[in-house]
Amino acid sequence: MSLLHGRHACALALATSLAACSDSRSSVGPRATNSPDQSATSQSDLAASTVPTVSKLLGRATFSDPDGENFKVMRVADDWHFDLKAKPAVDVAVQTIAFAPNAQSTWHLHPGPVFIQVTTGTISFYMANDPTCTAVIRTAGQSYVDMGEHTHMARNEGAVAAQTLVTYFLPPGAPLKIDQPRPGNCPF
């Protein structure tokens, strides 16, 4: 087991606390369907009405075993078990993302798992491989775990601002996200 020092321990503690929020996409929050008038909106109308998100990277660090072994953090306390492994190391990045009303991310994927906590407002998550374009809805205090393997996007479809706190687990030096082309299953 590696030794963690200073700010690295703080970043991992934050990431670890977020991991406890949710263990699956369906653990909290309802699934919602799109409203009928939304599907009738033209692509040009939607493009004109959406705005980009505003991201702020709070920190990023590489965690590795000082002895050059595979990185592993494990904790067992009563009936709670936590285990994080990476070969040979892992980058942990923490970012806030602000969504004004009608703001949305690009379609993208990630090189590793992402833990998302909605801190204010409501966020709708859409998957490129969902032919029905059905949103997974999360509200303030709820979480969403994205394994990063599939193209997806996030939108604020509400009338008030929303924000997320996002923790990325990545191969060292990898980008936080990889933009993808619009898949065509959703009108946006």
Side-chain angles (χ1 to χ4, degrees):
M1 187 166 307
S2 71
L3 299 174
L4 302 176
H5 299 286
R7 69 173 190 221
H8 298 288
C10 292
L12 188 57
L14 174 61
T16 302
S17 67
L18 290 176
C21 292
S22 174
D23 61 351
S24 71
R25 287 185 4 180
S26 61
S27 63
V28 292
R31 290 184 65 86
T33 58
N34 295 325
S35 60
D37 60 320
Q38 185 180 31
S39 61
T41 306
S42 75
Q43 181 63 32
S44 60
D45 290 342
L46 282 169
S49 67
T50 58
V51 294
T53 61
V54 178
S55 302
K56 180 179 178 184
L57 183 64
L58 301 177
R60 180 175 180 155
T62 300
F63 295 85
S64 62
D65 188 305
D67 297 325
E69 301 295 321
N70 295 335
F71 179 74
K72 181 176 180 178
V73 175
M74 186 173 69
R75 172 75 192 267
V76 177
D78 299 323
D79 63 346
W80 184 77
H81 298 248
F82 177 82
D83 196 1
L84 173 69
K85 300 175 192 177
K87 182 180 179 178
V90 62
D91 274 11
V92 178
V94 179
Q95 177 180 58
T96 59
I97 305 174
F99 293 79
N102 296 315
Q104 67 182 39
S105 71
T106 59
W107 286 94
H108 63 277
L109 50 81
H110 304 281
V114 180
F115 290 74
I116 304 163
Q117 181 180 20
V118 178
T119 57
T120 59
T122 300
I123 300 292
S124 300
F125 297 93
Y126 293 92
M127 300 297 291
N129 61 356
D130 177 4
T132 66
C133 191
T134 301
V136 174
I137 307 292
R138 295 294 185 260
T139 60
Q142 295 182 326
S143 60
Y144 183 80
V145 176
D146 174 10
M147 292 305 293
E149 301 168 314
H150 303 288
T151 300
H152 60 278
M153 62 102 68
R155 294 170 50 97
N156 177 359
E157 298 172 332
V160 299
Q163 183 166 312
T164 59
L165 179 64
V166 183
T167 303
Y168 303 84
F169 295 89
L170 309 157
L176 299 182
K177 72 174 189 162
I178 302 164
D179 285 332
Q180 298 293 301
R182 185 175 153 260
N185 64 316
C186 295
F188 36 83

